[in-house]
Coordinates of all heavy atoms in Angstrom, one line a residue:
Q625 N 15.7 -4.4 -1.4 CA 16.9 -3.7 -0.9 C 17.7 -3.2 -2.1 O 18.0 -4.0 -3.0 CB 17.7 -4.7 -0.1 CG 17.0 -5.2 1.2 CD 16.7 -4.1 2.2 OE1 17.5 -3.1 2.3 NE2 15.6 -4.2 2.9
L626 N 18.1 -1.9 -2.1 CA 18.8 -1.3 -3.2 C 20.3 -1.7 -3.1 O 20.9 -1.7 -2.0 CB 18.7 0.2 -3.1 CG 17.2 0.7 -3.3 CD1 17.3 2.3 -3.3 CD2 16.7 0.3 -4.7
D627 N 20.8 -2.1 -4.2 CA 22.3 -2.4 -4.4 C 22.8 -1.3 -5.4 O 22.9 -1.6 -6.6 CB 22.5 -3.8 -4.9 CG 24.0 -4.2 -5.0 OD1 24.8 -3.4 -4.4 OD2 24.3 -5.2 -5.6
L628 N 23.2 -0.2 -4.9 CA 23.6 0.9 -5.7 C 24.9 0.7 -6.4 O 25.8 0.2 -5.9 CB 23.7 2.2 -4.9 CG 22.4 2.7 -4.2 CD1 22.6 4.0 -3.4 CD2 21.3 3.0 -5.3
F629 N 24.9 1.1 -7.7 CA 26.1 1.0 -8.5 C 27.0 2.2 -8.1 O 26.5 3.3 -7.9 CB 25.7 1.1 -10.0 CG 26.9 1.3 -10.9 CD1 27.7 0.3 -11.3 CD2 27.2 2.6 -11.4 CE1 28.8 0.5 -12.1 CE2 28.2 2.8 -12.2 CZ 29.0 1.8 -12.6
T630 N 28.3 1.9 -8.0 CA 29.3 2.9 -7.7 C 30.1 3.3 -8.9 O 30.0 4.4 -9.5 CB 30.1 2.5 -6.5 OG1 30.7 1.2 -6.8 CG2 29.3 2.4 -5.2
K631 N 31.0 2.3 -9.3 CA 31.8 2.6 -10.5 C 32.4 1.3 -11.1 O 32.4 0.3 -10.4 CB 33.0 3.6 -10.1 CG 34.1 3.0 -9.3 CD 35.2 3.9 -9.1 CE 36.4 3.3 -8.4 NZ 37.6 4.2 -8.3
Q678 N 29.0 6.7 -10.7 CA 27.9 7.5 -10.3 C 28.2 8.2 -9.0 O 28.3 7.5 -7.9 CB 26.6 6.6 -10.1 CG 25.4 7.4 -9.8 CD 24.1 6.5 -9.6 OE1 24.2 5.4 -9.2 NE2 23.0 7.1 -9.9
V680 N 27.7 10.5 -5.8 CA 26.7 10.9 -4.9 C 27.0 12.4 -4.5 O 28.1 12.7 -4.1 CB 26.6 10.0 -3.6 CG1 25.6 10.5 -2.7 CG2 26.4 8.6 -4.0
K705 N 13.7 12.1 2.4 CA 14.1 12.0 1.0 C 13.3 10.8 0.4 O 12.9 11.0 -0.8 CB 15.6 11.7 1.0 CG 16.1 11.5 -0.4 CD 17.6 11.2 -0.4 CE 18.1 10.9 -1.9 NZ 19.5 10.5 -1.9

Side-chain angles (χ1 to χ4, degrees):
Q625 297 295 329
L626 297 179
D627 185 13
L628 295 178
F629 168 81
T630 54
K631 73 174 184 178
Q678 185 179 28
V680 179
K705 179 181 178 182

